[in-house]
Amino acid sequence: MANAADYDRWGPPGARYQPAPRSSWSPGWILLTVAGFIVWWPIGLALLFYTLWSRNMGCWDRGDRFSNKMERMQYKMERMRQRMDRHGFGFGPPSSGNRAFDEYRMETLRRLEEEQVEFKDFLERLRHAKDKEEFDAFMAQHRTKPAGSNDAPPQG
């Protein structure tokens, strides 16, 4: 079945994937670089540096490429989240058919999420207290040493 109504499903309209221009790493260029290393290593090194810094490598000078990928991924994740909210995990509606059980399940999941947040906060406070205790012990250890103390006996 054709899905013509979902034509823009791969991203917002106008944000289509644009193929990248061809990189300079062709087989001939690679062979030339290897031959340069074989003949005299500075030639191979120069060819390698030229290729890397010529900005034809495929990953340079297209800063918006990463942002386009991130926007497309966020769009897809949002679509999937909306679909999961509507239809469950793709295997039908999330309802069990028993309204009381569904309410109990939702309340239990909400309570577990709250407990998870509280537990993470507790662990953070515990780590902070442990770090503070270690720091205080370190400072107490270094405060007890005299400031001008050397192990060498005084010369007289």
Side-chain angles (χ1 to χ4, degrees), residues 23 33 46 59 71 84 90 100 104 119 123:
S23 78
T33 305
C59 60
E71 288 173 10
M84 294 297 166
Y104 167 76
F119 184 69
L123 285 178

Side-chain angles (χ1 to χ4, degrees), residues 60-76:
W60 300 101
D61 203 30
R62 285 194 309 272
D64 61 337
R65 180 174 164 210
F66 177 73
S67 63
N68 287 342
K69 284 185 177 187
M70 289 303 294
E71 288 173 10
R72 207 168 62 228
M73 185 170 32
Q74 287 175 346
Y75 174 76
K76 288 178 183 179

Side-chain angles (χ1 to χ4, degrees), residues 20-75:
R22 204 177 146 141
S23 78
S24 61
W25 287 106
S26 64
W29 190 259
I30 294 172
L31 287 174
L32 183 67
T33 305
V34 170
F37 274 109
I38 292 173
V39 172
W40 193 45
W41 68 267
I43 294 173
L45 199 60
L47 289 171
L48 181 65
F49 284 144
Y50 171 76
T51 305
L52 291 175
W53 277 293
S54 66
R55 297 202 178 258
N56 290 331
M57 221 175 89
C59 60
W60 300 101
D61 203 30
R62 285 194 309 272
D64 61 337
R65 180 174 164 210
F66 177 73
S67 63
N68 287 342
K69 284 185 177 187
M70 289 303 294
E71 288 173 10
R72 207 168 62 228
M73 185 170 32
Q74 287 175 346
Y75 174 76

